[in-house]
Structures are given as structure tokens and as C-alpha cells.
Amino acid sequence: MPSSEGALVSARRLTKRFESFTAVGGIDFDVQPGEAFGFLGPNGAGKTSTMRMIGCASPVTSGELRIFGMDPRRDASRIKAKLGVVPQLDNLDAEITVRENLEMYARYFDVPKAVARARVEELLDFVQLTDRAGSKVEPLSGGMKRRVTIARALVNNPDLILLDEPTTGLDPQARHLIWERLYRLKRDGATVILTTHYMDEAEQLCDRLVVMDKAAIVAEGSPRQLIERYVTKEVLELRLSPDIRASLDGRLDGLAERIEVLPDRVQLHTADGERALEHVYTRGIPIESALVRRASLEDVFLRLTGRTLVE
Amino acid sequence: MGALLRSAWCVFQRNLLVYRHVWRGSLFMGFLSPLLFLLSMGLGVGALVRTEGVLPAGASFLTFLGSGLLASTCMQTGSFESSFPIVGKMVWRRNYEAMFATPVSVGAIVLGELLWLAARLVMVAAAFACVLAAFGVGTLASLVPAVAAAVLTGLAFGACVMAYAATLRDGANFNALFRFGITPLFLFSGVFFPITRLPAPIRWLAPTTPLFHGVELTRGLVLGTLGAQAAVIHVTYLVVMVGLGASVAYWIFRRRLWT
Ligand SMILES: Nc1ncnc2c1ncn2[C@@H]1O[C@H](COP(=O)(O)OP(=O)(O)O)[C@@H](O)[C@H]1O
Ligand SMILES: [Mg+2]
């Protein structure tokens, strides 16, 4: 556990209950300045509940939470003034234009008009929406709305950016555009907290992340550390016909450090996937197809929880 | 306090910004509906009814009806503007969630909405008063305070409906409220005829309802017959209703946004 010294966000035994249901069950984490910190976990893990507490939009049930060293119970407005929030679901003003959305939001933060105007143009350019600035939000595509929301979260020049599932539900092209923008923010030194249930998003964007499942943190580290700690370097995925799979009877034993039999495939976790595959062939096991790939956070999650991240 | 007012003003401006995209149609309706009502009911029905001994001395049916409609129109505007638009911002589009992620507080959101509602009511009541003046009802000196009274009436309803609307989830509907609340009040609060004409139980009930106080206050100001004591009673009733509605609205907004 890194110390909370100098951390922008620091949580100890942070807990959120809705009546008797525990959405966040006493988690500890720290986010350092300049860091891109992630919460990776499936739906219902408690990611949004955690983000809303950090955003001072939700009361902490118990435990301790400090943001910029301040207490959300007492200093909510002062904390919010320094946050940029991208909620899980867009909540733009659909009836007004893209530019008006940003300018209006700047007013909520009491940004002086002239400063806001310049900043809004800059941000429109940053999210590549200058040509749509005068159009209403309603008819924009999901990816464009998401970019407007991201630009809106930056109007107050926040010290900390909260992104709750920034690319969920978007097509690959829209996702990549957003990743590229977020990557630039990160490179320019912004502190970012993001949640996701996409392991590739976490791998690309997070310096450090926690894996969350059922209201608890089950692992913490950089993407590489987590993969090194919990899984082997490579994974050999085999597709077998159902009757072969049913009659495997230990014929794969010894070929890998760990063997995972999933409903549609068998995964062999090993440092050298190609060699394991050769052994599969020499043992004469008939396979439908085989794939050797680098281990990912998905495998970490499977290892830790016995389930896949996205069902 | 300064921060509260400043943020409330931002919420007001946000609504103004949205309204700027629709103001033409809205303003047109503001003039059209009183015009149609006064033409058909005021002149049309007015020609059929006997007023002496029924209406206050010196009041024509047109004046009687017009002043009552001024108040009831504000009731309807206040109620409607606080129904679907509030649910929209709370549930469907989650605009309040967006505001609450900034330094704008729950109190500022509710206050900003009430300020905006007051502004909308002033627009509607002023348009109505212009039509009344065109029909020769009232004078500038009597219509200005009457507009204020009607706006107060609209705010009283608006604040209460706002509190109710903020409790609603998805699939909200206001049918019951309008059918069993607003419409009966519209019909039986002395807008169209003096409540003394009503059968006994309703006659006793009518003076306890909010629209009755709004109508009496507004009409008394148009006719110049409002007594000091009556004025105090009507205004107090309506102001208390605004206060209660706003307090409950604040409490419910807070429960919805800070969860
Ligand atoms: N306002 C609420 N009232 C009751 N339960 C809630 C509320 N918000 C979230 N939950 C529950 O808390 C759990 C965690 O939800 P959430 O934090 O949204 O998870 P995630 O963002 O990881 O999908 C879920 O089971 C969800 O149903
Ligand atoms: Mg979520």
C-alpha cells in the first residue's frame, strides 16, 4: 500500500451502502498526482458508486475519503470546483448547441466569460468538434456526445478528471479516437481516474489500476505487474469439439502451469504457447483451432474471480 | 449566500438559454390562448348571462372572467412548467446531475428553478394582461399588481408540483394531478362564477383551496375592491404555500441528487 502522502485522492475502508446492500465494501486506494488510475471490474462491481463518492455526488457511508486533502462532507463545493466529471451516462443539455453546453458549464464553475470563451474554442478543437460547435447536441452520434462530455469536463481546467466508462457502448473507431484524446491528456500530465470493464482500455490508459469485484478490490498494480503476478506470459487457446473436450481425461496435463476449461474453449497458461501447442499435436489431441496470444488483464480477472470480465 | 445566489442565477440562465430556442411559439401561445378564451367565453357567453345581483357591483362578466382566468392561467402554467420539465431534468436527461457535479448546490438548483418559473409566469401573465387591456379590462395601475398576484398564485402551485415531480421515477405521469387536482380547481374556484352559486358542501370547501385565494386576490386588484384584511389573508396563504412547496422540493431534490 503506497502512502497517502501527497495523494490527490486517498480512501481508507471506504464503504457505500444502499440500505442493507453493500455497493462498496471498505476499499483502500491512493491516487498520486499525474497518475492515470483505473478501476477495472464487471458491471455491478461498485465502480460508479466509488466514482460518485469521489465526485462528492454521493455521501460516504463509512470509512475515510480525502480528495485534495479535503473532506467531501465539509468541502464538497471546493472539491467539485477542481474536478472534471464524465459520468457513465451522458447528461448533456440536448436542446442547446455544443458550444452553449460548454459555455454554460463554464459558468457553473464561475469561469470568467472571456476566459471561458477562449477555453471552449480550444476544447472544441481538442475533441475535434469545432465544425459541429453550432449544432444541437440531440442529433450527434454517441461518440460525438461522449467527446462533448469530455470537453465539458475540462472547462474548469480540473486538477483531477473522473471518467466513468468513457467508451462503453461506442464503436471501435469512436473508442480509438477517445483513447487517443485521453492519452494526450495523460501525456500532458493530467491526473485521471477512470473505470472500465474493457481490459484493453485499462491496459492502454492506466499507469496503475485496481481490479474490483463484488464491492471489493481483489488486486492492485500496473497492468504489467498484474499480468506478471497472476498469470503466465502467454495463453494458448484451444477450441475442441464437445465430445473431445468431454473425454480429455487429463490428456493436457503437464502442458501448462494452469489449464482453464471454459464453456467454449480451453485455455493453457504457459510461458511458451507455441511449444505447448507442439506438445498438443504430438500427443495427438484433435483440435478445431488454436491461438497463441499474450496474457491480458482479462486472464488476470479470470484467475482472480473465476469469471470473465464481459459476459 | 453570495455563492447560492450566483449559482441560482446560473441555473436561471441555463433555462433561459434553452428557452431562447423555443420562445417564439411560447410567446405566441401566451397571447393566443387568453384571446380565444376572452372572445368565446367573455364576449360569447357573456352576452347570455345575467350579472346584476350575482357579480360584485360594477363588474362586467368580461372583467370578472378575465381577472379570474389571469390567476387560473398562472396556476396552469406554474403547474405544467413544474411537471414534465422537472422530471426531464431529474430523470430523463439528468441535467441536475450534471449541475450537481459542479459547485452548484441543491439549494441553488431549486432556487434557480423557482426564479425561472417566476420569470415564465411574468411572461405569461403580462401577455394575458395585454390582452385584457385590449378588451378594455382594467388599467395599467390595476393590471400591474394583478399580474404580481397571478404570478404569486402560479408560484404557489409551481413550487408544490415541483416537489411532487421530483419524487417521480421513469414513466412519470401527471394525469391524476391534472384531472383530479388542477381541472376541478379551475372549474370550482370562482373563475367562471362566484362560489356562492355552488351547492353547499363545495361552497364551504372552495375558500380553503389555493386557487380561490389566487383568484380573489387577482380579481380584487383588477376591480379595485380588495380589502386590506382579505389581501393579507390571500397573500399569506399563497406565500406559505410557496414556502412549503419550496422546502419540500429542496428536501426531495437533495434526496434524489445526493444518494
Ligand atoms: N442508488 C442505488 N440504490 C440501490 N442500489 C444501487 C444504487 N446505485 C447502485 N446500486 C447497486 O450497487 C451495485 C454497484 O453498482 P455500481 O457502483 O453502479 O457498479 P458498477 O459501476 O461497477 O457497474 C449494483 O449492484 C447496483 O445495483
Ligand atoms: Mg458503473
Side-chain angles (χ1 to χ4, degrees):
Chain A
M1 172 63 50
S3 84
S4 68
E5 198 62 34
L8 288 195
V9 181
S10 166
R12 292 294 175 273
R13 312 289 316 145
L14 178 62
T15 302
K16 179 75 201 179
R17 267 192 290 274
F18 295 105
E19 270 134 42
S20 64
F21 180 82
T22 303
V24 180
I27 61 174
D28 295 352
F29 62 88
D30 290 289
V31 181
Q32 304 297 334
E35 196 172 28
F37 185 86
F39 288 92
L40 176 70
N43 276 330
K47 304 183 299 294
T48 297
S49 302
T50 305
M51 292 293 255
R52 293 188 67 244
M53 287 191 282
I54 300 171
C56 303
S58 171
V60 171
T61 307
S62 67
E64 237 193 272
L65 179 63
R66 288 281 176 283
I67 303 126
F68 309 124
M70 292 185 273
D71 182 345
R73 269 167 304 199
R74 276 199 313 272
D75 298 312
S77 292
R78 281 173 61 205
I79 295 169
K80 285 168 169 181
K82 305 207 278 175
L83 291 179
V85 178
V86 175
Q88 183 168 351
L89 298 170
D90 286 324
N91 51 21
L92 296 162
D93 260 316
E95 301 104 325
I96 59 179
T97 69
V98 170
R99 183 181 279 116
E100 285 170 336
N101 262 277
L102 303 190
E103 287 180 349
M104 194 60 239
Y105 220 62
R107 275 190 227 172
Y108 295 147
F109 288 97
D110 208 5
V111 179
K113 257 201 175 130
V115 178
R117 200 163 299 146
R119 179 117 186 102
V120 164
E121 295 313 314
E122 222 172 86
L123 288 170
L124 285 168
D125 183 52
F126 175 70
V127 295
Q128 300 171 6
L129 283 172
T130 303
D131 54 331
R132 303 305 296 268
S135 95
K136 285 194 187 166
V137 165
E138 188 84 88
L140 297 185
S141 71
M144 286 184 185
K145 282 185 184 149
R146 211 61 187 144
R147 272 141 63 197
V148 179
T149 307
I150 290 171
R152 192 184 68 172
L154 300 172
V155 286
N156 58 327
N157 230 332
D159 292 344
L160 171 64
I161 306 160
L162 306 178
L163 300 142
D164 196 356
E165 303 206 10
T167 68
T168 297
L170 302 183
D171 59 65
Q173 209 182 341
R175 289 179 74 194
H176 281 283
L177 180 54
I178 287 179
W179 284 354
E180 194 260 314
R181 296 292 92 183
L182 295 180
Y183 194 80
R184 241 188 70 182
L185 277 179
K186 198 178 106 152
R187 197 196 57 199
D188 294 345
T191 311
V192 176
I193 303 181
L194 70 90
T195 76
T196 182
H197 59 243
Y198 295 123
M199 49 105 187
D200 47 349
E201 187 159 285
E203 271 175 2
Q204 292 214 18
L205 294 175
C206 298
D207 301 321
R208 203 158 58 84
L209 60 97
V210 292
V211 180
M212 225 179 151
D213 186 43
K214 293 186 183 144
I217 289 176
V218 292
E220 189 214 317
S222 72
R224 284 261 55 93
Q225 281 172 343
L226 288 171
I227 290 167
E228 275 163 24
R229 197 177 313 149
Y230 294 101
V231 292
T232 55
K233 211 167 134 223
E234 294 188 339
V235 178
L236 167 62
E237 293 202 358
L238 301 176
R239 284 176 199 273
L240 307 163
S241 66
D243 39 318
I244 299 288
R245 203 170 49 197
S247 62
L248 267 177
D249 265 344
R251 286 169 76 192
L252 293 171
D253 285 2
L255 290 186
E257 287 174 34
R258 205 160 50 83
I259 297 175
E260 205 97 50
V261 182
L262 298 176
D264 59 334
R265 59 193 193 274
V266 177
Q267 291 188 343
L268 284 75
H269 295 260
T270 166
D272 189 342
E274 290 296 344
R275 245 191 52 198
L277 183 57
E278 270 168 40
H279 287 297
V280 170
Y281 285 130
T282 51
R283 287 189 188 184
I285 302 165
I287 54 177
E288 287 180 347
S289 70
L291 164 77
V292 176
R293 57 169 178 79
R294 272 162 44 109
S296 71
L297 286 174
E298 182 81 42
D299 302 304
V300 173
F301 189 79
L302 183 70
R303 174 74 200 276
L304 289 169
T305 67
R307 288 175 297 118
T308 50
L309 208 45
V310 189
E311 282 86 33
Chain B
M1 194 63 200
L4 176 74
L5 289 178
R6 208 199 59 74
S7 295
W9 183 238
C10 289
V11 176
F12 180 94
Q13 285 179 314
R14 179 261 166 210
N15 287 334
L16 181 64
L17 199 56
V18 174
Y19 188 70
R20 279 223 298 252
H21 290 274
V22 297
W23 71 273
R24 263 172 267 263
S26 156
L27 202 64
F28 179 69
M29 286 310 294
F31 283 102
L32 187 68
S33 67
L35 185 67
L36 294 181
F37 253 102
L38 289 176
L39 276 177
S40 73
M41 304 288 288
L43 298 183
V45 179
L48 304 175
V49 300
R50 183 180 60 84
T51 56
E52 60 276 16
V54 179
L55 296 186
S60 69
F61 182 66
L62 191 66
T63 310
F64 179 85
L65 178 76
S67 54
L69 281 175
L70 173 56
S72 69
T73 298
C74 280
M75 165 186 77
Q76 281 156 332
T77 302
S79 303
F80 186 79
E81 297 277 318
S82 298
S83 60
F84 294 102
I86 298 292
V87 182
K89 286 179 253 190
M90 184 69 83
V91 183
W92 300 324
R93 298 192 191 280
R94 294 180 309 283
N95 303 110
Y96 295 138
E97 176 192 83
M99 294 176 190
F100 192 54
T102 75
V104 174
S105 63
V106 173
I109 292 173
V110 174
L111 184 60
E113 287 295 350
L114 288 171
L115 285 174
W116 171 248
L117 180 62
R120 283 286 297 129
L121 288 165
V122 168
M123 294 179 216
V124 168
F128 201 112
C130 289
V131 175
L132 283 179
F135 277 84
V137 173
T139 61
L140 186 65
S142 67
L143 286 176
V144 169
V147 163
V151 168
L152 178 61
T153 308
L155 269 180
F157 280 91
C160 294
V161 175
M162 193 178 289
Y164 170 66
T167 64
L168 297 175
R169 305 272 154 180
D170 211 2
N173 103 43
F174 292 91
N175 292 345
L177 175 71
F178 281 95
R179 207 168 291 159
F180 302 114
I182 302 301
T183 302
L185 286 179
F186 178 52
L187 295 173
F188 299 109
S189 297
V191 175
F192 299 96
F193 51 86
I195 58 163
T196 50
R197 297 275 121 184
L198 288 165
I202 311 184
R203 189 167 68 229
W204 302 327
L205 220 58
T208 66
T209 65
L211 183 59
F212 170 81
H213 292 277
V215 168
E216 287 295 303
L217 182 65
T218 309
R219 183 176 286 143
L221 288 165
V222 173
L223 292 173
T225 56
L226 186 68
Q229 199 195 351
V232 169
I233 291 172
H234 300 321
V235 170
T236 305
Y237 186 108
L238 295 170
V239 167
V240 167
M241 196 168 151
V242 173
L244 282 178
S247 308
V248 176
Y250 171 77
W251 186 71
I252 292 169
F253 268 65
R254 184 158 177 88
R255 252 192 22 193
R256 288 302 289 278
L257 293 172
W258 173 246
T259 54

